[in-house]
Amino acid sequence: MFLEVNRLSVQYSSRSHPAVSEVTLQLHPGQIGVLIGPSGCGKTTLLRAIAGLEPASDGWIAIAEKRVSDAKQTTPAESRRIGMVFQDYALFPHMTVADNLAYGLHAWTAQQRNTRILEVLELVGLAGQGNSYPHQLSGGQQQRVALARALAPQPALLLLDEPFSNLDVELRERLAQDLREILKAANTTALLVTHDQMEAFAIGDLIGVMNEGVLHQWDDAYTIYHRPVSRFVAEFIGHGVFVPATLAEGPETTLVDTPVGRLNDLAECPLPSQYAGGQCDVLLRADDIVHDDDAPVKAQILRKLFRGSEFLYTLRLDNGHEVLAQVPSHHDHQVGERIGIRALVDHVVTFQRQADSRT
């Protein structure tokens, strides 16, 4: 294991609750982790604690099998061989790109520095830009320089705090894919903080979903999306709602009755005995609801969001419950119109019934 965080807590004296509470996660060499969650959830504090910028009040952190933080001691940030990339790039405007990259290579010989600068410029797709100044580069290029500068000293671990937040959406999507390729080519272990789910899915081998200082789930993107371990993760990731459901024993499989009809041919489903009377809430994502004019269940369109290839419809069933549906955009229905829908679900995600599961 390369990065280990074990039951880590970070407590500020000005707050009654820990900013980070008993977080445990691991990264193998060369893996990329991403922390995601709402503002103030503790993800940046966790990143800063790993960097050595915040002390641990409990638990511990180890990098390359060396413990660097616990409640009794903190290895200084400069002794951890960690590279960091920040939101604002922090490039020196009066220095060329090459000089910015050389800033952290004082202990290297001139030949070693020059060779390494050429290597990382090639790695981040900026070969030939060494003599340019930051103001001569685009925002995306400046971000690549910041990444190259962090990679130049060959850090043991790279930490990135919202690295694309100052860029436009299209550029962010492209750079997210490029970042993953760059980190994999460099075989760099990295941990990134973002608030963008698509960015997290594009970059991370493992994704951590945080809320109120607690790491709810640390898993790959597929599992985070399809098998959320908590109601918060289920609601935070993707587009979906909870509807009440009843589980019952069928002749061959569990029967799941919902406001959008019975769910059939399920590959995965909990046993009815898991909930009192089989009563639970089922997560239905937008891609679980199919537009079908011949379906017996009808729903009224409350809202529609055009997303190019599809519409995201918010629909109200006759019983008052709401669901979401992704519909190809050539099915352009109007707000107020009623359309037929059916559920197409491979496995169900269930949670304890709440008093009112309407969304």
Side-chain angles (χ1 to χ4, degrees), residues 164 214 284:
F164 307 129
V214 175
L284 292 178

Side-chain angles (χ1 to χ4, degrees), residues 7-24:
R7 298 182 67 85
L8 179 76
S9 294
V10 177
Q11 176 74 59
Y12 295 126
S13 59
S14 59
R15 296 178 56 173
S16 58
H17 300 288
V20 172
S21 181
E22 298 190 351
V23 166
T24 295

Side-chain angles (χ1 to χ4, degrees), residues 72-86:
K72 297 180 179 179
Q73 62 87 32
T74 299
T75 301
E78 62 271 17
S79 301
R80 297 192 182 195
R81 286 193 58 216
I82 286 178
M84 291 201 69
V85 179
F86 300 96

